[in-house]
């Protein structure tokens, strides 16, 4: 199954050095052992939140697979490291996951309706999502249908100080918005 995994620089996770391609281990118990990854890419941020010192990959989880009720994390005995994702690709995959699975429980890294970027990113979902950040931050927005919860539109941008300005609220059309706090 296709999943996502985060590592420290150099494909290192909890002291284990992975290699590109197939990696094998003996046991897969989500709470104790095995190679861990997540079905929802945004859940990787729970374990590797520092985007500057972490790497994010698409992987294939195989062999024995175990799941628990802690986000979309899984454990497997065979993990094939497929492709390193850029920061933009990583968040685009997160938006695609929301669009493909609109009724699943949200990652704890997704904010409802509005967010200011923290740790280099803001992921916002709602019927009229808005976000803002500092130069270099990524803004990922998903507009959902109020009745069905299905994702109708997504946007991904970086605050560059030219086209997307710092400390300005933007909507999913990447238009500036005035946000009133009640």
């Amino acid at each position: 199954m296709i999943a996502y995994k985060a590592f420290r620089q150099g494909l290192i996770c909890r002291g284990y050095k992975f290699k590109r391609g197939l990696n094998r281990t003996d046991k897969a118990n989500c709470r104790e052992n095995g190679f861990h990854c997540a079905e929802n890419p945004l859940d990787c941020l729970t374990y590797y939140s520092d985007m500057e010192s972490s790497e994010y990959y698409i992987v294939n989880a195989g062999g024995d697979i175990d799941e628990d009720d802690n986000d979309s994390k899984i454990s497997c005995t065979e993990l094939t490291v497929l492709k390193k994702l850029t920061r933009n690709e990583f968040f685009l995959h997160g938006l695609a996951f929301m669009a493909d699975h609109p009724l699943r429980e949200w990652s704890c890294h997704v904010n409802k309706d509005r967010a200011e970027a923290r740790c280099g990113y803001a992921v916002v979902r709602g019927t009229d999502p808005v976000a803002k950040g500092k130069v270099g931050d990524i803004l990922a927005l998903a507009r959902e249908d109020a009745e069905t919860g299905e994702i109708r539109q997504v946007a991904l941008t970086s605050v560059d100080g030219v086209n997307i300005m710092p400390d300005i609220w933007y909507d999913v059309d990447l238009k500036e918005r005035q946000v009133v706090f009640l």
Side-chain angles (χ1 to χ4, degrees), residues 16-148:
Y16 184 86
K17 172 84 168 120
F18 284 78
K19 63 182 181 185
R20 284 194 178 239
L22 181 62
N23 298 267
R24 288 191 169 107
T25 190
D26 295 334
K27 298 177 184 174
N29 179 309
C30 215
R31 296 184 196 277
E32 297 175 22
N33 52 37
F35 295 141
H36 293 95
C37 53
E39 192 176 359
N40 182 343
L42 298 176
D43 288 339
C44 292
L45 296 168
T46 300
Y47 310 98
Y48 290 86
S49 60
D50 182 358
M51 298 202 78
E52 296 303 316
S53 64
S54 301
E55 302 174 335
Y56 304 88
Y57 282 79
I58 296 175
V59 298
N60 186 26
D64 290 334
I65 294 177
D66 184 54
E67 300 177 62
D68 64 13
D69 57 355
N70 188 20
D71 60 42
S72 69
K73 182 175 75 173
I74 61 174
S75 179
C76 61
T77 57
E78 296 179 357
L79 188 91
T80 305
V81 179
L82 299 173
K83 180 186 185 302
K84 183 177 181 180
L85 298 171
T86 65
R87 287 179 54 182
N88 282 348
E89 289 171 332
F90 175 78
F91 286 103
L92 193 57
H93 279 258
L95 290 168
F97 184 88
M98 281 189 272
D100 289 344
H101 308 285
L103 302 180
R104 287 213 184 154
E105 186 175 332
W106 294 14
S107 168
C108 65
H109 302 283
V110 177
N111 295 278
K112 182 167 177 47
D113 298 326
R114 68 174 176 250
E116 294 185 46
R118 302 256 189 286
C119 300
Y121 66 90
V123 181
V124 186
R125 178 177 172 172
T127 57
D128 188 24
V130 293
K132 72 177 182 177
K134 305 285 185 206
V135 172
D137 289 341
I138 291 178
L139 307 179
L141 300 108
R143 178 182 291 158
E144 65 182 11
D145 182 275
E147 292 180 23
T148 66

Side-chain angles (χ1 to χ4, degrees), residues 99 126 142-154 172:
R143 178 182 291 158
E144 65 182 11
D145 182 275
E147 292 180 23
T148 66
E150 291 183 5
I151 303 300
R152 296 291 181 209
Q153 182 181 0
V154 298
V172 74

